[in-house]
Amino acid sequence: RVYMSPTDGCASKIINKITTADKSIYFCIYAFSSQDIADAMKQRFESGVMVRGVFDATAWNQNWSKSLDLRGDYNIDSTNNPWSPPADVFVDSVDGNLLHHKYMLIDCDDWASNPIVITGSYNWSAAAENGNDENMVILHSRYFADLFLQEFAARYYEAGGTADINVDTDLHLSNINIRRNGKDVIIDYSISM
């Protein structure tokens, strides 16, 4: 599915997918200020879903950043919703480069599940929801879930994460065919089970 903001209500689409999480929610994000998205993640976290994430360093300590909530800290005005216990979140540690990712992985570490990848230019913020022209893509794909999970694991460990991330997928069962149709690149794939 492809959505555009500000017309398509992208935050509600993300929240809807968060509510389906059974095992894990992993993410890398540049700007995350949506209290509604953070609260939806907290509800799943309190139900036993693992939440792990990496934030860009420029947003990590901002008063509006949901990194404070997930770390269990109050913002300056005490208007946020700190988690207790805190989630397994980190600040990106690569000097001089932005962590400009904007993706969430839902149940992507279980090959037998229906993994979800949410990505696009859409930050989880009021500006992205109500003002900017942004795009968001929601993929139900084991193949793309595996690719994003590998990237997430690299960023997570680079930022200081130590927990095991189960990349329990079988990409060798994937059949991929890439072709061109005029200016379009078509990627066809299937999973042999």
Side-chain angles (χ1 to χ4, degrees):
R1 302 259 187 242
V2 177
Y3 301 99
M4 304 292 173
S5 69
T7 58
D8 290 344
C10 293
S12 67
K13 308 296 190 279
I14 294 173
I15 291 167
N16 178 270
K17 295 303 178 189
I18 288 170
T19 64
T20 71
D22 293 320
K23 182 178 179 184
S24 63
I25 300 170
Y26 299 153
F27 65 89
C28 282
I29 192 68
Y30 175 66
F32 180 4
S33 63
S34 170
Q35 192 66 58
D36 291 341
I37 292 173
D39 289 346
M41 291 170 68
K42 184 178 183 185
Q43 285 183 329
R44 296 308 305 140
F45 181 71
E46 290 173 343
S47 297
V49 171
M50 175 54 61
V51 174
R52 293 188 172 117
V54 181
F55 289 80
D56 180 67
T58 59
W60 180 248
N61 284 318
Q62 297 296 322
N63 194 50
W64 48 261
S65 179
K66 295 300 108 186
S67 71
L68 297 170
D69 294 51
L70 276 67
R71 291 166 20 202
D73 293 335
Y74 280 101
N75 62 13
I76 292 169
D77 308 320
S78 297
T79 56
N80 63 331
N81 188 8
W83 295 23
S84 181
D88 189 25
V89 294
F90 296 89
V91 61
D92 177 49
S93 63
V94 178
D95 291 334
N97 294 315
L98 293 176
L99 178 80
H100 212 245
H101 287 319
K102 298 149 181 113
Y103 66 80
M104 181 182 295
L105 311 176
I106 298 173
D107 295 335
C108 286
D109 49 359
D110 182 359
W111 186 252
S113 74
N114 177 21
I116 299 169
V117 177
I118 302 171
T119 191
S121 68
Y122 181 86
N123 281 300
W124 309 333
S125 68
E129 180 71 7
N130 301 313
N132 300 345
D133 288 324
E134 304 282 0
N135 64 75
M136 186 177 76
V137 179
I138 299 178
L139 302 162
H140 292 262
S141 164
R142 291 179 179 144
Y143 175 73
F144 287 105
D146 182 78
L147 295 175
F148 273 87
L149 184 60
Q150 290 178 53
E151 170 62 15
F152 173 76
R155 300 295 70 78
Y156 172 80
Y157 292 131
E158 183 178 73
T162 59
D164 289 335
I165 295 177
N166 186 21
V167 183
D168 184 23
T169 55
D170 292 319
L171 273 187
H172 67 278
L173 299 175
S174 299
N175 303 306
I176 301 169
N177 180 31
I178 301 172
R179 59 188 164 84
R180 212 175 223 341
N181 183 2
K183 293 181 180 179
D184 296 328
V185 175
I186 311 298
I187 302 173
D188 297 310
Y189 73 93
S190 62
I191 307 292
S192 303
M193 297 301 282

